[in-house]
Amino acid sequence: MQEIKKGGLTRRMLLGGSFGIAAGLMPRRVMGAPPKVKVGAIMPSSGIFAFPGQACVRGIDLGAKFARERFGVDMEIIHADSQSKPERGRVAAEGLIRQGCTVLIGAWDSGATISALQAAEAAKVPMVVHIASATQVTSQGFTQVFRFYPTSLTIVQQSLNELKTIISTIDNPPKSVAVVHLNNTAGQSTAASIDQAWKDVGVSLKIAEYISYDEKARDLSVEVAKARASGAEALMSVTRVNDAIMIIRECVKQGWNPKLIFSPNSNGVTDKAYYDALGKYGDGQILSTIWCNPKAPDAEAILKRFETDYPDQWMDANAGCAFEAVQIVADAVVRANSPASPDIHSALKMTDMTPILMYSGKIKFDATGQNMNNAVTILQGQRGRARVIAPRSIADAGLQYPLPPFEAR
């Protein structure tokens, strides 16, 4: 994986209970009257995606506090709930725009994001997409989209390169894998990306079978049984947190012990709810995602503030990407020196900033609105928490392989 170089604006160490940003060291524009802006945030705060949606809300709110101190931007955050329904994205966006929001952030689920973008496009209000990986988000000609998150194909390509490296360095690697995936917009896009990238990357595992399931499924016993019956020695899953939990529980119940469980572009290993539900069975799975850079200059201060504000939670990929999206908006508002949608849109097109918290290259948007310098981290559940195992430059753990049998834990 490509090494990410640090640069851009200098950030400061923790001072007292704040984020530790010395006012005299902030960007020059901040010293004048700070611009005020209404920001609409669309998240699935209820429904089947409530766990990650609520995490995103925490990241947005913490991000607004940081942006006020770091950039001097006074943000009024107005939250809207997509209710985990794709069609509610547009309804939520239209409501926020009517309330005077001149820039939007959202919407986590790819279906809801595309729906919200239709409203943003009609109203000419820019939208920063913090999470949503379906290729269609930036391939349908939207002019108001600015996506921080990588496409499913980018995630899968980088993930499979890492998987290939992992397989080449371990003894007795698995020979075949079953792919179990959601059949929603993101799941189908990721499955198609796996199919496209598999031969390009040259992964030595044989794909035994693709098995899809409905995102509203309450029982995945049949799907796990199919994966086991395929003879696959490894499992690749494309999941949300609820179904990631169901899959592991079924593996335990059915006595299936894959040597390796790998999840590109998924939830599960990154989520507190996952470990709360699975306990010792949550360890061992590997997941690729966008993740916090623990060596970023402000990371320690931000994470400490998060722990203070939300002592029963942790900063996961959902909260982290939402936090970063707020900083992207704040940076654009400062450079535009205006809260107006056209000015923010023009500034977003010229974005060239070092991420504040997340591991990535410089944030720059291409002509389609896609961040050009995404980077994926590889995590493994160890000791009840997600640990970074790649890239080595920010890793805090080594790979554990093979997975210990569930019944022996």
Side-chain angles (χ1 to χ4, degrees), residues 199-243:
K199 291 181 181 179
D200 293 341
V201 173
V203 181
S204 60
L205 277 76
K206 175 186 175 183
I207 296 180
E209 190 171 356
Y210 284 93
I211 304 164
S212 67
Y213 63 91
D214 188 85
E215 65 183 358
K216 296 180 181 178
R218 296 183 178 274
D219 185 322
L220 294 177
S221 57
V222 172
E223 288 76 9
V224 171
K226 285 182 179 178
R228 183 185 183 191
S230 73
E233 296 180 305
L235 168 64
M236 181 173 289
S237 59
V238 181
T239 63
R240 302 307 192 199
V241 62
N242 295 340
D243 28 298

mmCIF file of all heavy atoms in Angstrom, residues 199-243:
data_model
loop_
_atom_site.group_PDB
_atom_site.id
_atom_site.type_symbol
_atom_site.label_atom_id
_atom_site.label_comp_id
_atom_site.label_asym_id
_atom_site.label_seq_id
_atom_site.Cartn_x
_atom_site.Cartn_y
_atom_site.Cartn_z
ATOM 1 N N LYS A 199 -9.234 -11.004 -10.820
ATOM 2 C CA LYS A 199 -8.240 -11.457 -11.796
ATOM 3 C C LYS A 199 -7.175 -10.385 -12.030
ATOM 4 O O LYS A 199 -6.004 -10.714 -12.253
ATOM 5 C CB LYS A 199 -8.928 -11.806 -13.111
ATOM 6 C CG LYS A 199 -9.794 -13.056 -13.029
ATOM 7 C CD LYS A 199 -10.436 -13.372 -14.371
ATOM 8 C CE LYS A 199 -11.313 -14.607 -14.284
ATOM 9 N NZ LYS A 199 -11.972 -14.918 -15.581
ATOM 10 N N ASP A 200 -7.581 -9.107 -11.999
ATOM 11 C CA ASP A 200 -6.616 -8.030 -12.218
ATOM 12 C C ASP A 200 -5.515 -8.056 -11.168
ATOM 13 O O ASP A 200 -4.337 -7.871 -11.470
ATOM 14 C CB ASP A 200 -7.329 -6.672 -12.189
ATOM 15 C CG ASP A 200 -8.281 -6.487 -13.352
ATOM 16 O OD1 ASP A 200 -8.139 -7.215 -14.351
ATOM 17 O OD2 ASP A 200 -9.174 -5.611 -13.255
ATOM 18 N N VAL A 201 -5.917 -8.287 -9.922
ATOM 19 C CA VAL A 201 -4.947 -8.304 -8.829
ATOM 20 C C VAL A 201 -4.175 -9.621 -8.801
ATOM 21 O O VAL A 201 -3.006 -9.661 -8.415
ATOM 22 C CB VAL A 201 -5.669 -8.062 -7.480
ATOM 23 C CG1 VAL A 201 -4.711 -8.248 -6.307
ATOM 24 C CG2 VAL A 201 -6.275 -6.655 -7.456
ATOM 25 N N GLY A 202 -4.824 -10.680 -9.227
ATOM 26 C CA GLY A 202 -4.149 -11.976 -9.261
ATOM 27 C C GLY A 202 -4.134 -12.685 -7.927
ATOM 28 O O GLY A 202 -3.122 -13.271 -7.529
ATOM 29 N N VAL A 203 -5.267 -12.661 -7.222
ATOM 30 C CA VAL A 203 -5.367 -13.378 -5.948
ATOM 31 C C VAL A 203 -5.409 -14.874 -6.229
ATOM 32 O O VAL A 203 -6.136 -15.333 -7.126
ATOM 33 C CB VAL A 203 -6.634 -12.939 -5.178
ATOM 34 C CG1 VAL A 203 -6.716 -13.662 -3.838
ATOM 35 C CG2 VAL A 203 -6.629 -11.436 -4.963
ATOM 36 N N SER A 204 -4.647 -15.642 -5.458
ATOM 37 C CA SER A 204 -4.510 -17.071 -5.738
ATOM 38 C C SER A 204 -5.708 -17.895 -5.284
ATOM 39 O O SER A 204 -5.886 -19.033 -5.727
ATOM 40 C CB SER A 204 -3.241 -17.609 -5.066
ATOM 41 O OG SER A 204 -3.302 -17.415 -3.658
ATOM 42 N N LEU A 205 -6.546 -17.370 -4.414
ATOM 43 C CA LEU A 205 -7.715 -18.110 -3.955
ATOM 44 C C LEU A 205 -8.733 -18.270 -5.077
ATOM 45 O O LEU A 205 -8.935 -17.357 -5.878
ATOM 46 C CB LEU A 205 -8.407 -17.375 -2.792
ATOM 47 C CG LEU A 205 -7.869 -17.574 -1.380
ATOM 48 C CD1 LEU A 205 -6.589 -16.779 -1.212
ATOM 49 C CD2 LEU A 205 -8.901 -17.114 -0.356
ATOM 50 N N LYS A 206 -9.383 -19.409 -5.090
ATOM 51 C CA LYS A 206 -10.494 -19.634 -6.011
ATOM 52 C C LYS A 206 -11.784 -19.197 -5.332
ATOM 53 O O LYS A 206 -12.017 -19.496 -4.155
ATOM 54 C CB LYS A 206 -10.585 -21.119 -6.372
ATOM 55 C CG LYS A 206 -11.787 -21.465 -7.226
ATOM 56 C CD LYS A 206 -11.911 -22.965 -7.425
ATOM 57 C CE LYS A 206 -13.182 -23.317 -8.186
ATOM 58 N NZ LYS A 206 -13.354 -24.784 -8.331
ATOM 59 N N ILE A 207 -12.633 -18.436 -6.056
ATOM 60 C CA ILE A 207 -13.937 -18.069 -5.518
ATOM 61 C C ILE A 207 -14.878 -19.242 -5.737
ATOM 62 O O ILE A 207 -15.218 -19.591 -6.864
ATOM 63 C CB ILE A 207 -14.483 -16.792 -6.182
ATOM 64 C CG1 ILE A 207 -13.564 -15.608 -5.858
ATOM 65 C CG2 ILE A 207 -15.911 -16.512 -5.695
ATOM 66 C CD1 ILE A 207 -14.011 -14.292 -6.463
ATOM 67 N N ALA A 208 -15.295 -19.866 -4.626
ATOM 68 C CA ALA A 208 -16.133 -21.057 -4.712
ATOM 69 C C ALA A 208 -17.566 -20.705 -5.072
ATOM 70 O O ALA A 208 -18.220 -21.433 -5.833
ATOM 71 C CB ALA A 208 -16.101 -21.813 -3.380
ATOM 72 N N GLU A 209 -18.074 -19.577 -4.544
ATOM 73 C CA GLU A 209 -19.471 -19.222 -4.790
ATOM 74 C C GLU A 209 -19.740 -17.797 -4.312
ATOM 75 O O GLU A 209 -19.140 -17.333 -3.334
ATOM 76 C CB GLU A 209 -20.399 -20.198 -4.046
ATOM 77 C CG GLU A 209 -21.860 -20.081 -4.424
ATOM 78 C CD GLU A 209 -22.713 -21.195 -3.842
ATOM 79 O OE1 GLU A 209 -22.144 -22.105 -3.209
ATOM 80 O OE2 GLU A 209 -23.943 -21.152 -4.028
ATOM 81 N N TYR A 210 -20.630 -17.103 -5.022
ATOM 82 C CA TYR A 210 -21.178 -15.834 -4.566
ATOM 83 C C TYR A 210 -22.562 -16.108 -3.976
ATOM 84 O O TYR A 210 -23.403 -16.747 -4.628
ATOM 85 C CB TYR A 210 -21.324 -14.837 -5.719
ATOM 86 C CG TYR A 210 -20.031 -14.193 -6.172
ATOM 87 C CD1 TYR A 210 -19.291 -14.741 -7.223
ATOM 88 C CD2 TYR A 210 -19.557 -13.034 -5.568
ATOM 89 C CE1 TYR A 210 -18.119 -14.154 -7.656
ATOM 90 C CE2 TYR A 210 -18.374 -12.437 -5.992
ATOM 91 C CZ TYR A 210 -17.669 -13.001 -7.036
ATOM 92 O OH TYR A 210 -16.501 -12.410 -7.462
ATOM 93 N N ILE A 211 -22.811 -15.616 -2.780
ATOM 94 C CA ILE A 211 -24.087 -15.842 -2.096
ATOM 95 C C ILE A 211 -24.613 -14.500 -1.618
ATOM 96 O O ILE A 211 -23.970 -13.832 -0.786
ATOM 97 C CB ILE A 211 -23.913 -16.800 -0.893
ATOM 98 C CG1 ILE A 211 -23.292 -18.128 -1.353
ATOM 99 C CG2 ILE A 211 -25.243 -17.013 -0.177
ATOM 100 C CD1 ILE A 211 -22.746 -18.967 -0.216
ATOM 101 N N SER A 212 -25.758 -14.064 -2.128
ATOM 102 C CA SER A 212 -26.317 -12.768 -1.738
ATOM 103 C C SER A 212 -27.462 -12.954 -0.750
ATOM 104 O O SER A 212 -28.066 -14.030 -0.669
ATOM 105 C CB SER A 212 -26.805 -12.004 -2.975
ATOM 106 O OG SER A 212 -27.917 -12.655 -3.549
ATOM 107 N N TYR A 213 -27.774 -11.901 -0.010
ATOM 108 C CA TYR A 213 -28.893 -11.939 0.940
ATOM 109 C C TYR A 213 -29.490 -10.539 1.063
ATOM 110 O O TYR A 213 -28.840 -9.535 0.771
ATOM 111 C CB TYR A 213 -28.426 -12.452 2.309
ATOM 112 C CG TYR A 213 -27.396 -11.582 2.994
ATOM 113 C CD1 TYR A 213 -27.779 -10.561 3.859
ATOM 114 C CD2 TYR A 213 -26.042 -11.779 2.774
ATOM 115 C CE1 TYR A 213 -26.836 -9.760 4.480
ATOM 116 C CE2 TYR A 213 -25.094 -10.984 3.385
ATOM 117 C CZ TYR A 213 -25.496 -9.980 4.240
ATOM 118 O OH TYR A 213 -24.563 -9.174 4.850
ATOM 119 N N ASP A 214 -30.729 -10.498 1.482
ATOM 120 C CA ASP A 214 -31.455 -9.243 1.614
ATOM 121 C C ASP A 214 -31.000 -8.490 2.862
ATOM 122 O O ASP A 214 -30.760 -9.099 3.909
ATOM 123 C CB ASP A 214 -32.959 -9.511 1.700
ATOM 124 C CG ASP A 214 -33.776 -8.232 1.634
ATOM 125 O OD1 ASP A 214 -34.067 -7.770 0.514
ATOM 126 O OD2 ASP A 214 -34.091 -7.682 2.708
ATOM 127 N N GLU A 215 -30.893 -7.162 2.730
ATOM 128 C CA GLU A 215 -30.397 -6.367 3.851
ATOM 129 C C GLU A 215 -31.344 -6.382 5.052
ATOM 130 O O GLU A 215 -30.937 -6.037 6.169
ATOM 131 C CB GLU A 215 -30.149 -4.922 3.416
ATOM 132 C CG GLU A 215 -31.387 -4.166 3.013
ATOM 133 C CD GLU A 215 -31.069 -2.756 2.527
ATOM 134 O OE1 GLU A 215 -29.885 -2.374 2.549
ATOM 135 O OE2 GLU A 215 -31.999 -2.050 2.127
ATOM 136 N N LYS A 216 -32.589 -6.783 4.856
ATOM 137 C CA LYS A 216 -33.548 -6.854 5.961
ATOM 138 C C LYS A 216 -33.659 -8.264 6.537
ATOM 139 O O LYS A 216 -34.520 -8.517 7.388
ATOM 140 C CB LYS A 216 -34.916 -6.364 5.491
ATOM 141 C CG LYS A 216 -34.933 -4.898 5.080
ATOM 142 C CD LYS A 216 -36.306 -4.456 4.621
ATOM 143 C CE LYS A 216 -36.287 -2.988 4.183
ATOM 144 N NZ LYS A 216 -37.615 -2.552 3.683
ATOM 145 N N ALA A 217 -32.803 -9.160 6.088
ATOM 146 C CA ALA A 217 -32.855 -10.551 6.561
ATOM 147 C C ALA A 217 -32.622 -10.620 8.067
ATOM 148 O O ALA A 217 -31.776 -9.913 8.619
ATOM 149 C CB ALA A 217 -31.810 -11.383 5.836
ATOM 150 N N ARG A 218 -33.378 -11.466 8.712
ATOM 151 C CA ARG A 218 -33.234 -11.681 10.159
ATOM 152 C C ARG A 218 -32.632 -13.036 10.481
ATOM 153 O O ARG A 218 -32.479 -13.387 11.651
ATOM 154 C CB ARG A 218 -34.597 -11.534 10.844
ATOM 155 C CG ARG A 218 -35.190 -10.132 10.725
ATOM 156 C CD ARG A 218 -36.502 -10.020 11.469
ATOM 157 N NE ARG A 218 -37.038 -8.673 11.396
ATOM 158 C CZ ARG A 218 -36.718 -7.676 12.219
ATOM 159 N NH1 ARG A 218 -35.845 -7.900 13.183
ATOM 160 N NH2 ARG A 218 -37.255 -6.480 12.095
ATOM 161 N N ASP A 219 -32.319 -13.807 9.471
ATOM 162 C CA ASP A 219 -31.745 -15.137 9.651
ATOM 163 C C ASP A 219 -30.854 -15.431 8.453
ATOM 164 O O ASP A 219 -31.307 -15.373 7.309
ATOM 165 C CB ASP A 219 -32.865 -16.179 9.749
ATOM 166 C CG ASP A 219 -32.339 -17.577 10.052
ATOM 167 O OD1 ASP A 219 -31.274 -17.951 9.520
ATOM 168 O OD2 ASP A 219 -32.987 -18.306 10.810
ATOM 169 N N LEU A 220 -29.582 -15.717 8.692
ATOM 170 C CA LEU A 220 -28.643 -16.012 7.609
ATOM 171 C C LEU A 220 -28.115 -17.443 7.696
ATOM 172 O O LEU A 220 -27.040 -17.747 7.200
ATOM 173 C CB LEU A 220 -27.485 -15.012 7.636
ATOM 174 C CG LEU A 220 -27.869 -13.555 7.324
ATOM 175 C CD1 LEU A 220 -26.667 -12.632 7.456
ATOM 176 C CD2 LEU A 220 -28.468 -13.443 5.930
ATOM 177 N N SER A 221 -28.909 -18.325 8.321
ATOM 178 C CA SER A 221 -28.469 -19.712 8.478
ATOM 179 C C SER A 221 -28.312 -20.411 7.138
ATOM 180 O O SER A 221 -27.355 -21.176 6.931
ATOM 181 C CB SER A 221 -29.459 -20.479 9.366
ATOM 182 O OG SER A 221 -30.774 -20.427 8.822
ATOM 183 N N VAL A 222 -29.231 -20.151 6.205
ATOM 184 C CA VAL A 222 -29.163 -20.795 4.893
ATOM 185 C C VAL A 222 -27.936 -20.327 4.124
ATOM 186 O O VAL A 222 -27.220 -21.131 3.503
ATOM 187 C CB VAL A 222 -30.450 -20.505 4.085
ATOM 188 C CG1 VAL A 222 -30.298 -20.999 2.643
ATOM 189 C CG2 VAL A 222 -31.646 -21.151 4.744
ATOM 190 N N GLU A 223 -27.652 -19.014 4.175
ATOM 191 C CA GLU A 223 -26.509 -18.453 3.441
ATOM 192 C C GLU A 223 -25.185 -18.987 3.987
ATOM 193 O O GLU A 223 -24.285 -19.344 3.216
ATOM 194 C CB GLU A 223 -26.543 -16.928 3.515
ATOM 195 C CG GLU A 223 -27.633 -16.280 2.679
ATOM 196 C CD GLU A 223 -29.024 -16.382 3.286
ATOM 197 O OE1 GLU A 223 -29.147 -16.805 4.462
ATOM 198 O OE2 GLU A 223 -29.998 -16.019 2.602
ATOM 199 N N VAL A 224 -25.065 -19.064 5.311
ATOM 200 C CA VAL A 224 -23.830 -19.593 5.902
ATOM 201 C C VAL A 224 -23.698 -21.082 5.590
ATOM 202 O O VAL A 224 -22.592 -21.574 5.308
ATOM 203 C CB VAL A 224 -23.798 -19.328 7.428
ATOM 204 C CG1 VAL A 224 -22.628 -20.075 8.081
ATOM 205 C CG2 VAL A 224 -23.698 -17.836 7.705
ATOM 206 N N ALA A 225 -24.812 -21.799 5.600
ATOM 207 C CA ALA A 225 -24.771 -23.224 5.256
ATOM 208 C C ALA A 225 -24.308 -23.425 3.812
ATOM 209 O O ALA A 225 -23.534 -24.350 3.515
ATOM 210 C CB ALA A 225 -26.147 -23.852 5.470
ATOM 211 N N LYS A 226 -24.766 -22.552 2.904
ATOM 212 C CA LYS A 226 -24.316 -22.633 1.511
ATOM 213 C C LYS A 226 -22.820 -22.372 1.405
ATOM 214 O O LYS A 226 -22.106 -23.063 0.665
ATOM 215 C CB LYS A 226 -25.076 -21.615 0.662
ATOM 216 C CG LYS A 226 -26.504 -21.979 0.327
ATOM 217 C CD LYS A 226 -27.127 -20.906 -0.566
ATOM 218 C CE LYS A 226 -28.553 -21.262 -0.941
ATOM 219 N NZ LYS A 226 -29.174 -20.192 -1.776
ATOM 220 N N ALA A 227 -22.339 -21.366 2.138
ATOM 221 C CA ALA A 227 -20.914 -21.045 2.098
ATOM 222 C C ALA A 227 -20.083 -22.212 2.621
ATOM 223 O O ALA A 227 -19.053 -22.578 2.040
ATOM 224 C CB ALA A 227 -20.645 -19.785 2.920
ATOM 225 N N ARG A 228 -20.550 -22.830 3.693
ATOM 226 C CA ARG A 228 -19.843 -23.979 4.266
ATOM 227 C C ARG A 228 -19.856 -25.167 3.305
ATOM 228 O O ARG A 228 -18.835 -25.829 3.098
ATOM 229 C CB ARG A 228 -20.491 -24.365 5.592
ATOM 230 C CG ARG A 228 -19.792 -25.505 6.305
ATOM 231 C CD ARG A 228 -20.555 -25.909 7.550
ATOM 232 N NE ARG A 228 -19.860 -26.957 8.285
ATOM 233 C CZ ARG A 228 -20.380 -27.651 9.293
ATOM 234 N NH1 ARG A 228 -21.617 -27.389 9.684
ATOM 235 N NH2 ARG A 228 -19.672 -28.579 9.904
ATOM 236 N N ALA A 229 -21.015 -25.387 2.684
ATOM 237 C CA ALA A 229 -21.155 -26.532 1.776
ATOM 238 C C ALA A 229 -20.342 -26.361 0.498
ATOM 239 O O ALA A 229 -20.045 -27.351 -0.189
ATOM 240 C CB ALA A 229 -22.625 -26.733 1.424
ATOM 241 N N SER A 230 -19.953 -25.124 0.186
ATOM 242 C CA SER A 230 -19.151 -24.881 -1.020
ATOM 243 C C SER A 230 -17.742 -25.448 -0.904
ATOM 244 O O SER A 230 -17.023 -25.539 -1.904
ATOM 245 C CB SER A 230 -19.068 -23.374 -1.293
ATOM 246 O OG SER A 230 -18.208 -22.737 -0.350
ATOM 247 N N GLY A 231 -17.357 -25.807 0.312
ATOM 248 C CA GLY A 231 -16.016 -26.326 0.541
ATOM 249 C C GLY A 231 -14.962 -25.243 0.713
ATOM 250 O O GLY A 231 -13.768 -25.539 0.827
ATOM 251 N N ALA A 232 -15.398 -23.989 0.751
ATOM 252 C CA ALA A 232 -14.455 -22.876 0.896
ATOM 253 C C ALA A 232 -13.749 -22.928 2.248
ATOM 254 O O ALA A 232 -14.360 -23.247 3.266
ATOM 255 C CB ALA A 232 -15.185 -21.546 0.732
ATOM 256 N N GLU A 233 -12.464 -22.602 2.234
ATOM 257 C CA GLU A 233 -11.684 -22.559 3.467
ATOM 258 C C GLU A 233 -11.634 -21.156 4.062
ATOM 259 O O GLU A 233 -11.138 -20.967 5.171
ATOM 260 C CB GLU A 233 -10.266 -23.041 3.203
ATOM 261 C CG GLU A 233 -10.175 -24.498 2.771
ATOM 262 C CD GLU A 233 -8.747 -24.927 2.511
ATOM 263 O OE1 GLU A 233 -8.062 -24.272 1.698
ATOM 264 O OE2 GLU A 233 -8.314 -25.911 3.149
ATOM 265 N N ALA A 234 -12.128 -20.178 3.302
ATOM 266 C CA ALA A 234 -12.147 -18.796 3.783
ATOM 267 C C ALA A 234 -13.506 -18.190 3.454
ATOM 268 O O ALA A 234 -14.226 -18.665 2.577
ATOM 269 C CB ALA A 234 -11.027 -17.980 3.139
ATOM 270 N N LEU A 235 -13.834 -17.134 4.168
ATOM 271 C CA LEU A 235 -15.093 -16.428 3.968
ATOM 272 C C LEU A 235 -14.798 -14.962 3.681
ATOM 273 O O LEU A 235 -14.027 -14.330 4.411
ATOM 274 C CB LEU A 235 -15.965 -16.537 5.220
ATOM 275 C CG LEU A 235 -17.208 -15.631 5.297
ATOM 276 C CD1 LEU A 235 -18.205 -15.991 4.201
ATOM 277 C CD2 LEU A 235 -17.858 -15.746 6.675
ATOM 278 N N MET A 236 -15.366 -14.448 2.601
ATOM 279 C CA MET A 236 -15.307 -13.018 2.328
ATOM 280 C C MET A 236 -16.732 -12.486 2.459
ATOM 281 O O MET A 236 -17.638 -12.972 1.784
ATOM 282 C CB MET A 236 -14.746 -12.723 0.938
ATOM 283 C CG MET A 236 -14.648 -11.236 0.628
ATOM 284 S SD MET A 236 -13.787 -10.882 -0.936
ATOM 285 C CE MET A 236 -12.114 -11.306 -0.481
ATOM 286 N N SER A 237 -16.935 -11.513 3.329
ATOM 287 C CA SER A 237 -18.279 -11.012 3.579
ATOM 288 C C SER A 237 -18.357 -9.522 3.299
ATOM 289 O O SER A 237 -17.410 -8.781 3.551
ATOM 290 C CB SER A 237 -18.688 -11.296 5.029
ATOM 291 O OG SER A 237 -17.797 -10.680 5.945
ATOM 292 N N VAL A 238 -19.496 -9.109 2.756
ATOM 293 C CA VAL A 238 -19.784 -7.693 2.518
ATOM 294 C C VAL A 238 -21.044 -7.399 3.316
ATOM 295 O O VAL A 238 -22.149 -7.779 2.911
ATOM 296 C CB VAL A 238 -19.985 -7.395 1.027
ATOM 297 C CG1 VAL A 238 -20.261 -5.906 0.817
ATOM 298 C CG2 VAL A 238 -18.763 -7.830 0.226
ATOM 299 N N THR A 239 -20.894 -6.737 4.450
ATOM 300 C CA THR A 239 -21.962 -6.696 5.443
ATOM 301 C C THR A 239 -22.186 -5.308 6.025
ATOM 302 O O THR A 239 -21.352 -4.406 5.898
ATOM 303 C CB THR A 239 -21.605 -7.618 6.623
ATOM 304 O OG1 THR A 239 -20.413 -7.113 7.254
ATOM 305 C CG2 THR A 239 -21.386 -9.043 6.184
ATOM 306 N N ARG A 240 -23.300 -5.153 6.695
ATOM 307 C CA ARG A 240 -23.531 -4.117 7.689
ATOM 308 C C ARG A 240 -23.358 -4.782 9.055
ATOM 309 O O ARG A 240 -23.240 -6.004 9.146
ATOM 310 C CB ARG A 240 -24.926 -3.508 7.544
ATOM 311 C CG ARG A 240 -25.209 -2.900 6.185
ATOM 312 C CD ARG A 240 -24.169 -1.910 5.750
ATOM 313 N NE ARG A 240 -24.604 -1.145 4.581
ATOM 314 C CZ ARG A 240 -23.784 -0.490 3.787
ATOM 315 N NH1 ARG A 240 -22.485 -0.534 4.004
ATOM 316 N NH2 ARG A 240 -24.242 0.203 2.759
ATOM 317 N N VAL A 241 -23.367 -3.998 10.104
ATOM 318 C CA VAL A 241 -23.005 -4.548 11.410
ATOM 319 C C VAL A 241 -23.997 -5.613 11.877
ATOM 320 O O VAL A 241 -23.591 -6.641 12.432
ATOM 321 C CB VAL A 241 -22.840 -3.427 12.464
ATOM 322 C CG1 VAL A 241 -24.132 -2.656 12.695
ATOM 323 C CG2 VAL A 241 -22.305 -3.995 13.772
ATOM 324 N N ASN A 242 -25.299 -5.420 11.650
ATOM 325 C CA ASN A 242 -26.274 -6.393 12.134
ATOM 326 C C ASN A 242 -26.057 -7.763 11.508
ATOM 327 O O ASN A 242 -26.078 -8.791 12.198
ATOM 328 C CB ASN A 242 -27.702 -5.913 11.826
ATOM 329 C CG ASN A 242 -28.072 -4.656 12.578
ATOM 330 O OD1 ASN A 242 -27.465 -4.328 13.580
ATOM 331 N ND2 ASN A 242 -29.076 -3.951 12.093
ATOM 332 N N ASP A 243 -25.853 -7.773 10.186
ATOM 333 C CA ASP A 243 -25.683 -9.064 9.519
ATOM 334 C C ASP A 243 -24.281 -9.638 9.718
ATOM 335 O O ASP A 243 -24.099 -10.856 9.666
ATOM 336 C CB ASP A 243 -26.047 -8.992 8.027
ATOM 337 C CG ASP A 243 -25.836 -7.632 7.416
ATOM 338 O OD1 ASP A 243 -26.478 -6.685 7.855
ATOM 339 O OD2 ASP A 243 -25.010 -7.529 6.498
#
